[in-house]
């Protein structure tokens, strides 16, 4: 059984497109401390490619992605 991840912050992006989603995520994470975790909720199917790629570019750790229908939840630890 996997341990439940308790996020420090939650960002519900809703149907926001990836350009705006990534910019908002960047601004939120800029205010977070290193090691904190954010949970991102997105209905945009493009986020399934864009968020992991953005995490790699920013050196943040994508801990987990959960998909439930059209909704995806991402748990990201700030570097």
């Amino acid at each position: 059984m996997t341990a439940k991840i308790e996020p420090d912050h939650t960002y519900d992006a809703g149907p926001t497109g990836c350009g705006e989603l990534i910019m908002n995520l960047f601004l939120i994470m800029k205010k977070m401390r290193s090691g904190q975790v954010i949970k991102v909720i997105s209905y945009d199917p493009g986020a399934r490619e864009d968020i992991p790629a953005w995490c790699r570019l920013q050196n943040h750790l994508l801990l987990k992605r959960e998909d439930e229908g059209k909704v995806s939840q991402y748990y990201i630890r700030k570097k």
Side-chain angles (χ1 to χ4, degrees):
M1 185 170 160
T2 312
K4 183 164 170 49
I5 300 169
E6 293 295 334
D8 298 288
H9 301 277
T10 299
Y11 168 45
D12 187 343
T16 303
C18 273
E20 188 178 348
L21 184 157
I22 294 295
M23 181 53 70
N24 290 340
L25 181 57
F26 173 79
L27 293 172
I28 294 167
M29 289 191 78
K30 194 173 170 182
K31 298 174 187 171
M32 292 170 53
R33 293 187 310 276
S34 181
Q36 287 189 312
V37 175
I38 186 167
K39 174 182 174 181
V40 180
I41 303 165
S42 176
Y43 310 151
D44 179 16
R48 293 180 184 184
E49 299 288 329
D50 292 348
I51 289 179
W54 181 79
C55 288
R56 284 192 301 274
L57 288 171
Q58 297 293 318
N59 291 321
H60 298 310
L61 181 60
L62 178 59
L63 300 172
K64 182 166 77 166
R65 180 182 103 195
E66 296 176 332
D67 299 326
E68 193 173 307
K70 295 183 179 188
V71 180
S72 295
Q73 297 179 16
Y74 306 85
Y75 294 86
I76 304 166
R77 175 168 286 127
K78 183 173 179 175
K79 67 173 178 178

